[in-house]
Amino acid sequence: MADTEPQTEAILCEQCQQIPAKYKCPGCLIRTCSLACSKTHKSEANCSGQRDKAVFVKRADYDANTMMSDYGFLQDLTRDHALLLRDAHEQGVAQVKQKGRAGQNNTVSHGDGPPNVSLDRSQRNIVSRAKEQRQVMIRYMSPGIKRHQQNKTIWVSAKSRLVWTLEIAIPEITGLPNKWIENGFHDVCQVGNLWTGILSEQSSANESKADGGDEKGSRKRARTDEVRLQLLSDDGNKYPFKSSVPAELLQVLKQNFSKLLVEDLVWLIRIQNLPANKPTFCKIDPLQPLYTQLRYQTVLEFPTVYVYSQEPTTWDGHAVTILEHCVAENDTEDAAIAANSDKEPAVVECAIAANSDNEAAVVE
């Protein structure tokens, strides 16, 4: 007598409940019998049909199929990583090492930038001079980062000063871009002088438009819209400066801040090297040269100055800590506590943390 194999009962399609199932949805494991039922299922259940490669699997449920799925996931990551490296190399942003004199490797590893990011001679000179003569730590970012590409900061050896790229942000303004970037700001000048200048002056483009002109000339002037100023330095000299504040934002600034004195506003810079959920800011004096206000601070590419009409209480949903003055990296813990004795304990802890982080960056 021939052996008879046990017949298993066919599983019906879970969509139509009539025909035996042939397929299984990778996303939700629903069994279907045809392409029509599969499409109907995806439409009704809003299912993407794709397996969640990162879903948690209990150890008891981990089998050979799950292992092969994870292996395929890792292969996909390896392939995507190789494609990104190739694209970056073709775009010229994959340079991570640079040979200097005598074949020396100039890869940065001492706190001036993220690992494996090389600085050219000019950037290394800026970092060194800023640290030695201005007591400010400049950290460069990866070449592909937009902030790195915007940075035009230079060190002027003839005058021993930094000429910064400077970002000014007004978070209280909503509905349009509330920050802009200035280039060529001498660190011996005052941010408050720049602020009062742009609020009191008219842009050269607007003045030219008022004089009339053809349409082509108007378009050309619109592209070069700027506010021309004379900024006073700490040595009494004046420097010509062209502000690039957007015309639309300038009008909003005049409406909201023209009646407020510079010293009545709150001027802040953010302290780096602290957790994102502990946003800590330091007050600066806008009527003092910028280099005196950046002393002992770490700057990501270039400074960002935040301007408020009143002290903020939250930042990205987290409580804000504001220090009345910047903490030097060589201050002792007792000095930091004494300087902030009138603050809440959280303020003192953040001040000490900022101090210790800055010490580590300088030692490196």
Side-chain angles (χ1 to χ4, degrees):
M1 180 181 292
D3 294 336
T4 59
E5 296 181 357
Q7 297 182 353
T8 58
E9 183 178 356
I11 300 177
L12 295 179
C13 172
E14 298 183 43
Q15 183 64 34
C16 65
Q17 300 291 335
Q18 297 178 358
I19 304 176
K22 298 180 180 179
Y23 313 104
K24 181 185 293 185
C25 175
C28 57
L29 305 181
I30 292 294
R31 295 179 179 272
T32 56
C33 64
S34 62
L35 178 61
C37 284
S38 177
K39 289 184 176 180
T40 302
H41 152 66
K42 291 179 181 179
S43 176
E44 293 179 354
N46 194 23
C47 176
S48 64
Q50 297 181 354
R51 180 181 66 87
D52 185 0
K53 299 179 181 180
V55 68
F56 174 75
V57 178
K58 294 182 179 180
R59 185 174 182 178
D61 299 332
Y62 197 89
D63 54 16
N65 291 332
T66 307
M67 182 188 69
M68 293 304 299
S69 177
D70 290 345
Y71 179 73
F73 177 52
L74 294 176
Q75 284 186 318
D76 292 342
L77 289 179
T78 303
R79 182 174 61 253
D80 292 342
H81 181 256
L83 292 175
L84 287 174
L85 288 180
R86 186 189 66 184
D87 293 342
H89 179 72
E90 292 176 353
Q91 297 174 12
V93 297
Q95 180 183 3
V96 298
K97 291 184 178 180
Q98 180 176 342
K99 295 297 181 180
R101 294 183 178 179
Q104 293 179 351
N105 189 349
N106 294 328
T107 301
V108 174
S109 61
H110 56 279
D112 302 329
N116 296 330
V117 173
S118 294
L119 305 183
D120 58 31
R121 178 182 296 181
S122 174
Q123 292 171 333
R124 294 197 302 273
N125 180 63
I126 292 173
V127 170
S128 176
R129 298 298 184 182
K131 185 187 301 183
E132 294 174 1
Q133 301 190 33
R134 293 310 198 202
Q135 292 79 51
V136 57
M137 174 73 71
I138 299 178
R139 296 183 63 91
Y140 282 92
M141 308 176 77
S142 299
I145 303 298
K146 181 178 180 181
R147 190 174 181 89
H148 179 84
Q149 299 170 357
Q150 293 173 327
N151 190 5
K152 309 298 182 184
T153 300
I154 62 174
W155 173 263
V156 181
S157 299
K159 297 184 178 180
S160 298
R161 69 182 57 165
L162 284 164
V163 178
W164 284 106
T165 290
L166 178 66
E167 183 177 43
I168 301 179
I170 304 91
E172 292 175 333
I173 293 180
T174 58
L176 74 159
N178 56 11
K179 57 185 177 182
W180 78 95
I181 290 179
E182 304 279 17
N183 288 309
F185 188 86
H186 290 247
D187 67 356
V188 294
C189 297
Q190 306 168 8
V191 181
N193 188 203
L194 170 63
W195 179 266
T196 55
I198 63 176
L199 292 185
S200 60
E201 296 292 330
Q202 295 292 330
S203 69
S204 59
N206 291 338
E207 292 175 350
S208 300
K209 291 177 183 178
D211 296 336
D214 57 14
E215 182 179 356
K216 182 177 179 180
S218 298
R219 289 198 300 268
K220 182 177 180 180
R221 286 189 293 270
R223 290 195 299 268
T224 58
D225 192 10
E226 58 191 21
V227 178
R228 299 177 182 270
L229 307 172
Q230 291 286 332
L231 297 183
L232 183 66
S233 70
D234 60 348
D235 57 8
N237 294 323
K238 290 186 177 181
Y239 296 94
F241 185 80
K242 298 178 181 179
S243 173
S244 58
V245 55
E248 185 179 6
L249 178 58
L250 177 57
Q251 295 302 318
V252 177
L253 290 177
K254 290 182 177 181
Q255 294 174 4
N256 297 341
F257 295 95
S258 60
K259 296 182 179 179
L260 298 176
L261 299 177
V262 173
E263 53 268 28
D264 293 337
L265 299 174
V266 181
W267 300 78
L268 304 173
I269 57 174
R270 187 169 184 178
I271 296 179
Q272 305 298 327
N273 304 324
L274 290 178
N277 61 353
K278 293 183 179 180
T280 305
F281 294 82
C282 172
K283 287 185 178 181
I284 65 172
D285 187 350
L287 301 181
Q288 295 296 325
L290 181 60
Y291 76 89
T292 64
Q293 305 304 300
L294 296 179
R295 203 170 278 162
Y296 312 126
Q297 295 304 303
T298 297
V299 174
L300 292 180
E301 294 283 349
F302 50 85
T304 298
V305 178
Y306 299 90
V307 185
Y308 288 87
S309 60
Q310 56 185 359
E311 291 189 6
T313 57
T314 60
W315 180 271
D316 289 340
H318 303 291
V320 169
T321 299
I322 298 179
L323 305 179
E324 290 298 326
H325 57 83
C326 298
V327 180
E329 77 272 15
N330 57 351
D331 284 346
T332 62
E333 182 173 321
D334 293 338
I337 295 175
N340 298 277
S341 58
D342 57 336
K343 299 294 179 182
E344 296 294 331
V347 175
V348 177
E349 292 175 0
C350 290
I352 297 173
N355 181 25
S356 60
D357 287 340
N358 284 337
E359 285 184 349
V362 172
V363 170
E364 291 176 354

